[in-house]
Amino acid sequence: MIVNFADKIVVGLAGVPITRDMRLTPEQFGLLGSSFFFLFSISAIVVGFVVNRIDTRWVVLVLALIWAVAQFPMVGEVSFATLLICRIILGAGEGPAFSVAAHAIYKWFPDHKRTLPTAILSQGSAFGVILAVPALNWIIVDHSWHYAFGALGLVGLMWAAAWLALGKEGPLVPTAAMAAAETRIPYARLLTSRTFVGCVAATFGAYWALSLGLTWFTTYIVTGLGFSQHDAGLISVTPWVFGAAMVLFTGWLSQTLMARGVSTRRARGVLGAAPLVVGGVILLSMPLLHSPAALIAALVVGAGLCGSIYVVCPPMIAEFTPVAQRGAAIAIYGALYTLAGVVAPLVMGSVVQTAANVNDGYLTGYMINGAVLIASGLLGLLLLWPNTERARLLNAAEPTALGLRKPA
């Protein structure tokens, strides 16, 4: 996940020199940010069904090789179309990454011990940015944004070699007899269950904020607030540091609450969704702030609070999903919420381009993000009931399994 998010952040980090060298409009740069997600969801769903049958070790290896190879065309002079295509290919390779990694981790930890490992896995996103931004920004400032892509390609190849040597499959894999005995839930019922829909809705808002952070945050710091590229690179780390602390705290608190007997409705559902509402209110307050420091702080805290939902939703889905269907269910969840990555950068680009001035455009874009966060958080609070979901789904499935109709 560290490599994965370093790959994601590079376009946003190099946004100003890329826009300048390629003479892009804000709408074109928004399209470039969104292009990463064009095949993201489709590949996540396809690979999600694949990992139900093939070891995650080999699936992750193939994905990592795609990430690495997709970076190298940008080392030399490149057209906008080529850059766009490479980002689409990269997105197709990275779309299934988190869901496949979570599925792999759940082969090592039982349900009551999964929240903290999920939090640590999620830290890859933060540390991918925290570790990569200083190095990539140095390459961008002192050399060229082209070489930043090449450096990521080399790192991807090195990681793939290490994974080939060290990656293993966990022991918590059901035998054929166990899989046959486990009651399967029709996907139509599983994917329309209250908690699954709540997870998608809540994480959609969080990913809206994350995709703006990946694509537009550094550009806003430079063109909106007037910082230099060097200083903006340093500032760009701050949301991820705060987000990392939030994710680890949520993982620790959730697992501690569950150990004390608190229901997963509260220890996972409420704990994950409530911070989205708070974060949305903070983003909506940005027009009331006037100093650059206050605006940056609002973005850091408002967007950083969203990290809680990534920690709790995959374990919630795993609570009520049969093991044989878990890889696909988590992948489809990821495919749906990451559609925010297609929409959010385009919306911001369109708003900035049509606004009376650049700052008004950015503030409007972040206020839209705030409204999305509040709506997503409220839906999460309403719909996330993982502690009762499995029983409800299995009770609904029994009459069908027996060839009977449920009474009216």
Side-chain angles (χ1 to χ4, degrees):
M1 296 307 296
I2 289 175
V3 177
N4 184 286
F5 270 78
D7 289 345
K8 284 183 173 74
I9 194 69
V10 65
V11 163
L13 186 63
V16 173
I18 289 175
T19 300
R20 181 187 62 239
D21 293 352
M22 304 187 77
R23 299 177 182 176
L24 305 181
T25 65
E27 284 187 340
Q28 285 178 310
F29 185 70
L31 174 63
L32 184 61
S34 293
S35 67
F36 180 84
F37 297 97
F38 285 174
L39 295 180
F40 200 90
S41 297
I42 295 172
S43 66
I45 293 173
V46 171
V47 175
F49 282 96
V50 169
V51 295
N52 283 343
R53 299 179 178 275
I54 297 177
D55 286 352
T56 50
R57 180 191 182 205
W58 302 114
V59 176
V60 171
L61 178 64
V62 171
L63 294 177
L65 290 172
I66 293 172
W67 310 345
V69 172
Q71 304 289 7
F72 289 117
M74 272 73 75
V75 173
E77 291 300 318
V78 63
S79 68
F80 178 67
T82 301
L83 179 55
L84 201 70
I85 291 169
C86 287
R87 294 300 287 179
I88 293 172
I89 294 171
L90 180 67
E94 294 196 351
F98 184 80
S99 56
V100 173
H103 181 55
I105 281 180
Y106 296 166
K107 295 180 181 181
W108 292 91
F109 297 92
D111 178 64
H112 67 284
K113 292 185 176 180
R114 285 175 180 164
T115 308
L116 190 55
T118 306
I120 293 171
L121 172 66
S122 298
Q123 287 314 291
S125 62
F127 283 100
V129 175
I130 293 168
L131 296 175
V133 163
L136 292 175
N137 202 50
W138 171 74
I139 295 172
I140 292 166
V141 172
D142 290 1
H143 300 280
S144 168
W145 61 267
H146 295 279
Y147 296 146
F149 285 89
L152 289 172
L154 291 174
V155 169
L157 291 178
M158 291 167 61
W159 186 89
W163 177 254
L164 181 62
L166 301 173
K168 290 182 173 60
E169 211 70 7
L172 301 181
V173 180
T175 64
M178 291 167 61
E182 188 176 35
T183 302
R184 293 179 67 88
I185 299 171
Y187 278 104
R189 186 173 292 118
L190 189 64
L191 303 182
T192 55
S193 64
R194 178 172 56 185
T195 301
F196 186 89
V197 173
C199 276
V200 171
T203 318
F204 182 91
Y207 211 79
W208 189 293
L210 185 145
S211 59
L212 289 185
L214 290 169
T215 306
W216 283 103
F217 184 79
T218 305
T219 303
Y220 171 57
I221 298 301
V222 175
T223 62
L225 299 181
F227 288 85
S228 69
Q229 176 69 35
H230 177 267
D231 291 341
L234 298 176
I235 295 169
S236 296
V237 174
T238 55
W240 303 91
V241 174
F242 180 82
M246 184 68 187
V247 165
L248 283 177
F249 174 74
T250 302
W252 168 82
L253 181 59
S254 175
Q255 202 148 303
T256 300
L257 291 172
M258 289 175 61
R260 295 178 179 177
V262 176
S263 71
T264 53
R265 156 68 181 167
R266 293 167 59 196
R268 286 175 174 170
V270 175
L271 184 64
L276 298 176
V277 179
V278 178
V281 172
I282 292 172
L283 292 184
L284 283 178
S285 73
M286 286 181 66
L288 304 176
L289 307 175
H290 302 292
S291 73
L295 289 166
I296 292 170
L299 275 177
V300 168
V301 177
L305 288 171
C306 302
S308 58
I309 199 67
Y310 300 109
V311 181
V312 296
C313 271
M316 278 195 284
I317 293 171
E319 274 187 65
F320 58 86
T321 303
V323 175
Q325 297 172 273
R326 186 178 63 203
I330 295 176
I332 293 170
Y333 151 72
L336 293 174
Y337 79 70
T338 53
L339 290 173
V342 177
V343 182
L346 282 173
V347 170
M348 180 64 90
S350 177
V351 169
V352 170
Q353 183 153 325
T354 57
N357 60 69
V358 171
N359 276 326
D360 286 349
Y362 281 120
L363 288 177
T364 301
Y366 285 122
M367 287 181 68
I368 293 171
N369 188 183
V372 171
L373 280 177
I374 291 172
S376 297
L378 292 175
L379 284 171
L381 290 172
L382 179 67
L383 297 173
L384 295 175
W385 293 82
N387 53 318
T388 60
E389 199 71 77
R390 184 172 178 84
R392 191 177 68 83
L393 287 169
L394 290 176
N395 287 338
E398 282 177 3
T400 303
L402 295 172
L404 302 173
R405 291 185 178 180
K406 291 185 70 177

